[in-house]
Amino acid sequence: MADLRPPEHQVAGHRASVDNLGPLVDDAGLFYKPLQAGDRGEHELAFYIAFSAHPAVPPRIRDAFFPRFHGTRRIPTAARPGELYPHIVLEDLLAGIAAPCVADIKIGACTWSPLAPEPYVAKCLAKDLETTSALLGFRVSGVRVAGQGGAVWRPERSELKGIDTAGVRGVLRRYVSSCGGDGPDCALAAAVYGGDWGVLAQLRELKAWFEEQTLFHFYSASILLGYDANAVSAPGGGVRVKLVDFAHVDEGEGVIDHNFLGGLCSLIKFIADIVAEASEMASSGH
């Protein structure tokens, strides 16, 4: 396990250190997520076990949009010296990307389960109201854009926490812009967001499933966007759209997950507008 290390391109959540448990990756393309304290860790593990074998989940949806589940493993950590701590072992969603551009977007106007204890509900509700979650149905939790020559744009989480609707639109535009330029030029909007294999097409496929699925309600889950800045113009572009963070998933009980679906539709609208704007700029020669 000598090659275990914190993900270099992590943009949200606790980073592994001597003070904190956090995710680790290895050279084999695996991602190790420490079991969260209390009921959350066991709840997330139970979801992965159930979801990975659920006969009603279409294989295409499971394979295209969710991390592959590889069980659990106890491994050493800097935060807990002398003990082997349990981790959920998943596919490293950014493995093989040389220059990762990553965005972590928490979906849903409500990020707390109705079954959650009152103090946790109050904490989540306050955060939903002070960010764009309650207003837009999603919030950007973290973003990293790599450019040529090693340039990187990575706003602080505190900066993202305070942005409004215009700020969200600006971040989503900057995510597909030349890094290091004077401002968002949306130069990569068509390649990353548009096309048959772009973010927009993948989100719409995911939306079609959420319009039908009544198995689970995904509270406080995120959509992770990723692409390789060095290969975005290649066929397919390596654009990745994945769901992550399942510590607060509830049983759907035959009811559509309107909270997640509403946030997903909102995100799709924002991205579709950026693609249309970039197309108009390209056709006008700007």
Side-chain angles (χ1 to χ4, degrees), residues 22-107:
L24 301 167
V25 295
D26 65 14
D27 292 334
L30 295 177
F31 181 94
Y32 300 81
K33 183 173 184 177
L35 219 60
Q36 296 184 57
D39 295 335
R40 297 182 197 178
E42 293 298 335
H43 193 82
E44 184 163 31
L45 176 58
F47 167 78
Y48 272 113
I49 292 171
F51 184 84
S52 63
H54 203 298
V57 176
R60 162 67 190 173
I61 293 295
R62 182 163 41 228
D63 294 344
F65 297 111
F66 289 81
R68 191 168 289 108
F69 175 58
H70 294 280
T72 62
R73 190 176 301 175
R74 291 181 176 271
I75 59 175
T77 65
R80 301 288 179 89
E83 70 171 288
L84 299 177
Y85 194 86
H87 287 65
I88 298 173
V89 186
L90 305 166
E91 163 194 13
D92 180 1
L93 299 177
L94 299 177
I97 297 183
C101 297
V102 188
D104 184 300
I105 303 170
K106 191 175 291 291
I107 303 295

